[in-house]
Amino acid sequence: MSAFDRLHPAVQYHVVNTLGWSALRPTQLEAIDPIQAGLHCLLLAPTAAGKTEAAVIPILSRMLTETWPGTSVLYICPIKALLNNLEHRLSHYAGLVGRRVAVWHGDVSQSQKQRSLRDAPDILLTTPESIEGMLISTRVERATWFANLRAVVVDELHAFAAGDRGWHLRSVMHRLEHYTPHPVQRIGLSATVSNPDELLEWFAPTGERMVVGSAAVSTDADVTIDHVGSLDNAATVIDRLHRGSKRLVFCDSRSSAEQLSSALRGKGIRAFVSHASLSQSERKLAETAFAEEKDCVIVATSTLELGIDVGDLDHVIQIDSPSTVSSFLQRMGRTGRRAGAIRNYLFLATNDDALLLALGIARKWSERWVEAAVPPREPWGIVVQQALAATLERGQWVPRELVALLVGAFPELPPGDIAALVQHLVSEGYLVSDAGLLQIGAVTEREFGRSHYLDLLASFSGSPLLTGRFGSAEVGYIDPTVLTGEKADRLILLGGRSWRVTEIEWKRRIVWLEPAKEGGTARWIGGGRGMGPEVSEAIRAVLVDGPPDGVTLSKRAVTKLDELRESIPAPGTTSGAIVRHDDGSIRWWTFSGTNANRSYAKLILASAQVRKFDGLGLDLSMLVEGTVLPDLHNTTLTFSTPELELASKGIKFSECLPADLLERVISARLYGAEVR
């Protein structure tokens, strides 16, 4: 009997007769037996290869065969737009066999959520933050709501695992299992990663596991790199290239996306923009229009990297470069979906650094290399969040039981350190001990109690944005820094259009807008991207060996690369190369990656004045003769109190940590080192 024949007869019937599929894809067939057997699985396949169906088809089969009642499946995604995008497709599949799907996230109305609570859907599409909200909510009967849970499907697992949201997700799943009398199956969906077995073991630490699909990187694609010199020049190139086709342009900042989309509209191009600071209605308008039109451009940040369906694409264009091969593969995978089409990707570098990064990414891709999905080390901030959230959920804890819960959620961390952290939370007033039971303390209520502990639900921090409104319509979210100054006429870009600020209501956090003819600025504060040591070394190799195989360079890019190869020394990575410029400044080329260069900058401060560092080296104002790069494998890092305070600003819940754990977090996250 084939794997397909082992599906429930109703599922078989609808796959063949209603959906009209003559056959399932290899990954979809391979996933049937392990999922139906209840194994924890990681399904690997390139973008648009049917991973969602590979998970859902056998899940629906189990649902029918085993008569799962109530909300038996959680389908978790990293972004709300992806959940919204999947709702129609999954509702169609589930509806064919008499089952229902609902969505639950921050944009879903309370009335819709109450309907779901009264009449539970079979599959709930949601986010980790929304699950956290359900766990601490007094409106949700947790013991009833989660009692029927049988499976959790996590889409884009590699995206979760790359940050603290992955630790949050895994801990929330651990807490859910305290309400379920049945084992909960974990199924992760991921694009190509180089360490699938380790990723699955992290995702499902106990039980039988199986990786389904291939982790191989395909180099069958048309990749071109051009050096255009500016964002305005990039707009001109996009205007002249591929007219009459559908183009998706990626920018790695919201401000660049706004500026480029405005410039394209100024050239008469049907251009749309999508990023996280636009309202849901604005993003939906852009995505719907783009999916239906043929001759247009959509300019997006990574919001459209994670699988949202915007129809058949002709071309993907990248302004500058993503910082990882994984992101490059995700974005390129949006093309080549039609029969006979080939994947394609055009880099438009606006400066020399971007050109080098594009070349480094392309070289690693040509070597069939991709990053491992490695969760960040020392997730102590998330341990704090989970200790506080679990206490809100339960009301009170026997201390040893709370410690046991956290040890189960974070088996990688020393149990003694977890117990010490719980005691620290008590001593600092985040938790309070009453008659031997731990409860939420006054400090937690003061620091996180706003809006029903909303800030405690998420593992990440968002900047305090203002809401931009035009009449009754919400346009998007504005960084307050763009509104500073004494200009009488403030013009901003939002949604690819120019707006005039007519009034600011600071207390209500509302900016009133009216359309303007042209002009304006766009600015949001965000974190800088790091460069891995492998990509940095690939850039060094390009400077030594020339362009990577299988990649086309424009004449401009060839000329600029030749100039850079003449001006940048590219030695081995052990000692680096020092270049002294005529103006007295010094560049120490290390090709070691961002974390290593951050460590070098800290360790050589006594003998060098470090102005800044990046993934390729350090810029210095002076250098004492005889200074060498330290051996990072045999170096002890220590931090002063001001250093800890400065470095911890981007780490949520850092203020709740004792100094020794905070040092470990900063050392591991920012320096890639251990604290001794």
Side-chain angles (χ1 to χ4, degrees), residues 518-631:
E518 61 182 10
T521 57
R523 182 169 64 243
W524 286 268
I525 296 175
R529 299 176 299 160
M531 182 185 297
E534 298 88 355
V535 172
S536 186
E537 164 59 23
I539 293 172
R540 187 200 68 82
V542 167
L543 291 169
V544 172
D545 302 330
D549 295 334
V551 178
T552 301
L553 268 64
S554 70
K555 291 182 179 179
R556 289 185 293 244
V558 169
T559 299
K560 179 55 68 174
L561 177 58
D562 288 342
E563 293 176 7
L564 293 172
R565 294 180 71 188
E566 285 290 327
S567 62
I568 300 176
T573 57
T574 54
S575 60
I578 297 171
V579 177
R580 299 179 184 272
H581 299 291
D582 293 339
D583 62 359
S585 64
I586 301 166
R587 174 70 169 175
W588 196 335
W589 295 93
T590 68
F591 300 99
S592 298
T594 302
N595 280 355
N597 287 336
R598 183 183 285 112
S599 299
Y600 292 144
K602 175 176 173 58
L603 293 168
I604 66 173
L605 271 178
S607 54
Q609 293 179 4
V610 181
R611 294 166 53 201
K612 65 177 183 177
F613 63 87
D614 53 35
L616 299 179
L618 304 95
D619 290 329
L620 315 172
S621 299
M622 61 83 69
L623 182 65
V624 174
E625 197 69 34
T627 302
V628 297
L629 293 177
D631 179 3

Side-chain angles (χ1 to χ4, degrees), residues 291-445:
E292 296 172 352
E293 298 192 23
K294 299 299 181 185
D295 182 9
C296 57
V297 174
I298 188 167
V299 184
T301 57
S302 58
T303 55
L304 291 188
E305 180 180 309
L306 297 177
I308 297 172
D309 185 11
V310 288
D312 289 328
L313 281 174
D314 298 303
H315 303 279
V316 165
I317 300 170
Q318 172 72 52
I319 303 300
D320 296 332
S321 175
S323 58
T324 65
V325 177
S326 175
S327 182
F328 162 71
L329 290 172
Q330 286 269 126
R331 297 175 182 193
M332 183 166 60
R334 309 311 302 271
T335 63
R337 300 188 181 187
R338 291 193 295 266
I342 188 170
R343 296 181 304 157
N344 63 82
Y345 201 89
L346 170 62
F347 292 92
L348 298 179
T350 63
N351 55 63
D352 295 353
D353 290 344
L355 176 64
L356 289 174
L357 181 55
L359 288 162
I361 293 292
R363 172 156 181 136
K364 297 307 294 182
W365 165 71
S366 72
E367 296 171 353
R368 300 180 182 271
W369 179 90
V370 67
E371 291 84 6
V374 179
R377 292 184 295 156
E378 306 285 358
W380 291 105
I382 306 305
V383 181
V384 167
Q385 179 208 30
Q386 290 301 288
L388 300 180
T391 304
L392 275 174
E393 171 190 346
R394 183 157 167 171
Q396 57 186 20
W397 282 97
V398 175
R400 67 174 181 277
E401 292 179 355
L402 176 57
V403 171
L405 174 81
L406 296 173
V407 169
F410 300 92
E412 298 85 354
L413 300 178
D417 290 346
I418 290 177
L421 176 58
V422 170
Q423 186 56 47
H424 173 79
L425 294 175
V426 174
S427 67
E428 295 296 313
Y430 292 100
L431 296 174
V432 62
S433 180
D434 183 11
L437 296 176
L438 298 181
Q439 301 175 10
I440 287 296
V443 177
T444 298
E445 293 177 353

Side-chain angles (χ1 to χ4, degrees), residues 128-133 136 168 172 175 381-393 425 430-431 440-441 443-445 447-461 652-653 655-656:
E129 294 76 27
S130 291
I131 298 173
E132 187 72 82
I136 70 171
H168 182 203
V172 162
R175 285 161 57 200
I382 306 305
V383 181
V384 167
Q385 179 208 30
Q386 290 301 288
L388 300 180
T391 304
L392 275 174
E393 171 190 346
L425 294 175
Y430 292 100
L431 296 174
I440 287 296
V443 177
T444 298
E445 293 177 353
E447 298 296 326
F448 302 108
R450 295 177 296 276
S451 302
H452 306 288
Y453 292 94
L454 181 64
D455 201 39
L456 198 60
L457 303 184
S459 59
F460 54 90
S461 298
K652 194 167 184 183
F653 307 111
E655 69 274 21
C656 308

Side-chain angles (χ1 to χ4, degrees), residues 34 37-42 185-186 200 204-211:
L39 273 62
H40 303 307
C41 293
L42 174 61
Q185 183 180 22
R186 301 185 182 190
L200 178 55
T206 61
E208 288 189 79
R209 301 179 289 261
M210 182 173 176
V211 174

